[in-house]
Structure formats: C-alpha cells, structure tokens
Amino acid sequence: MTLLDYPGRVACTVFLSGCNFRCPFCHNSELLDVNTPGIMDDAALLKFLEGRKGILEGVAFTGGEPLMRKELPELLAKIKALGYPIKLDTNGAFPEALKEVVNAGLADYVAMDIKNSPAKYARTVGLPSVDLAKVKESARLLMDGGTAYEFRTTVVDELHEEADFETMGQWLQGAEKYFLQAFADRDSVPFAGLHAPKKERLEAYAQIMRKYVLDVQIRGVD
C-alpha cells in the first residue's frame, strides 16, 4: 500500500520484473531480470483487488519496466473493470506499447522517467547506446495526448549538472508537470559511491526547468 506512488490516492503498487535499462542508481535492481520469480500471479492480484474495493483508490504499476510485458494491456483492462484508476510508470523506451495503453484508456496517470540530457542518456541508463528517438516519441505522445502525466528525473550528483537541465528543459518545453527526485542510496542500488545533490543544487536545477515546464517540484528532500 502506498500514499506516495499515485498522487492524491491511497493505492497499492504492483512491481513487475524485467527492464531494458541498467541504471547504476536503480532502487529495484532485483527486478531487472524478466525471469525473476513472482510472489503473485494475475488471478491472485485480481482477487486481492476485488477484496479491497472501497479501501484502495488506485493501482500503480512499476518495475522494472511494465511495458516490456506483452500481456500488460489485458491485465490493466481487468483491473479497470473492477473500477480502479491505474497509474503507470515507464522509462519511455516502448512508445508503441505506451500508445496502445493510453489510446485504450487503460492508464489514468502516467509517470515517465527522463533520465538525463540526450548526450548523457546512455551512460545514465547503464548501456553502450540507447534509442533516444523512442524515448522522445513517448514524451511527445504524453504531451500531445489527454492522459494525465508527469515527467521525472532521479538526480544523482555524479551524473547531472546544470547544463543537463537546460537541455532537458528545452526538450520538454511546454510540459505540464516535472519532478526532480533526489537519489537515495539503498542496499539494492547496484553501484556504490553515488550521492544525492544538496538541496541548494536541486533548487537551482528546478529553477532552470521552470523556464520551460509549467509545474516543477522537488521530491525526496525535507
């Protein structure tokens, strides 16, 4: 259960294994392998949700990368049939799958990661190269569509600097909502030695983004 993952709703979070990225700051690195055994199948999840009608106000899907799952739309449709609004987290690498979900009305809110400026994207997602055109297509789909959405960046001192946010701001110009999330170290983070930026630096980054995005906020800092 979560009060944070789905803005404004008491929700439960469903974690799906499998991800195409290998971000060095990932909090859910134990879910990177798509073959990671699950603790619940679809039928058990639906039974769980059926029994919590009137208590839960939404279901948030995260990962891993949920859109890697070909069967995801079918599961989302079943959950929508129970009356639950759905939030979907995505890294934006699968625009066709995102389009299918959004056009079918299977996601009421989408949170998409913007990892870094284009020049540093591959390094930030832990890969030799990345098809940034797909990520940009997903971002444009959300900005041009009618589904509520947010963009967000997990900010790591070793990976981000002011020039990156200037570039990301230009990329996302006209977007509705953007969050900077301070990196938090955990045992599950695959690489040691990463740090969160100080609050003052996050505020400076936020000010840059406010030149381009309507609503810019900081998460993870008191």
Side-chain angles (χ1 to χ4, degrees):
M1 185 170 300
T2 177
L3 300 174
L4 301 175
D5 288 349
Y6 196 147
R9 295 184 180 274
V10 178
C12 73
T13 303
V14 179
F15 293 87
L16 300 181
S17 63
C19 189
N20 57 313
F21 288 168
R22 293 295 181 267
C23 304
F25 51 89
C26 180
H27 282 173
N28 298 327
S29 60
E30 67 276 14
L31 297 176
L32 293 178
D33 184 352
V34 72
N35 296 313
T36 299
I39 61 171
M40 183 180 288
D41 61 18
D42 289 5
L45 173 61
L46 293 169
K47 182 178 179 181
F48 172 89
L49 295 174
E50 179 71 39
R52 283 156 181 79
K53 287 184 178 180
I55 300 173
L56 293 176
E57 300 171 337
V59 181
F61 276 84
T62 190
E65 170 51 49
L67 290 174
M68 286 181 66
R69 299 278 186 165
K70 301 297 184 184
E71 69 274 19
L72 182 65
E74 181 180 356
L75 177 59
L76 297 183
K78 291 177 180 178
I79 293 173
K80 290 287 287 184
L82 293 175
Y84 285 103
I86 292 173
K87 178 199 175 222
L88 175 68
D89 292 349
T90 182
N91 62 28
F94 301 94
E96 289 302 319
L98 178 60
K99 185 177 181 179
E100 179 183 357
V101 167
V102 168
N103 286 353
L106 298 177
D108 301 275
Y109 192 94
V110 178
M112 178 178 157
D113 294 328
I114 302 295
K115 302 293 187 177
N116 209 331
S117 59
K120 294 166 71 173
Y121 225 87
R123 175 191 172 201
T124 306
V125 302
L127 298 176
S129 63
V130 63
D131 188 348
L132 199 58
K134 291 186 176 180
V135 178
K136 290 186 174 183
E137 183 180 349
S138 291
R140 178 50 55 187
L141 172 68
L142 294 176
M143 291 173 67
D144 290 345
T147 302
Y149 71 91
E150 67 179 55
F151 296 123
R152 61 192 186 182
T153 299
T154 298
V155 187
V156 183
D157 228 9
E158 288 77 11
L159 295 173
H160 298 93
E161 57 189 351
E162 286 192 5
D164 298 317
F165 289 90
E166 192 72 47
T167 303
M168 285 189 285
Q170 294 169 8
W171 170 10
L172 302 176
Q173 186 164 10
E176 295 176 0
K177 190 176 296 184
Y178 175 84
F179 289 91
L180 298 96
Q181 303 178 160
F183 166 74
D185 201 7
R186 299 179 184 173
D187 291 341
S188 59
V189 172
F191 285 82
L194 300 177
H195 301 87
K198 294 186 180 300
K199 184 177 181 179
E200 294 76 16
R201 184 168 292 184
L202 282 171
E203 291 286 359
Y205 295 160
Q207 282 299 106
I208 293 172
M209 294 301 296
R210 289 185 180 115
K211 296 188 297 182
Y212 303 100
V213 179
L214 298 176
D215 183 5
V216 176
Q217 301 179 41
I218 295 174
R219 285 183 179 137
V221 176
D222 296 330

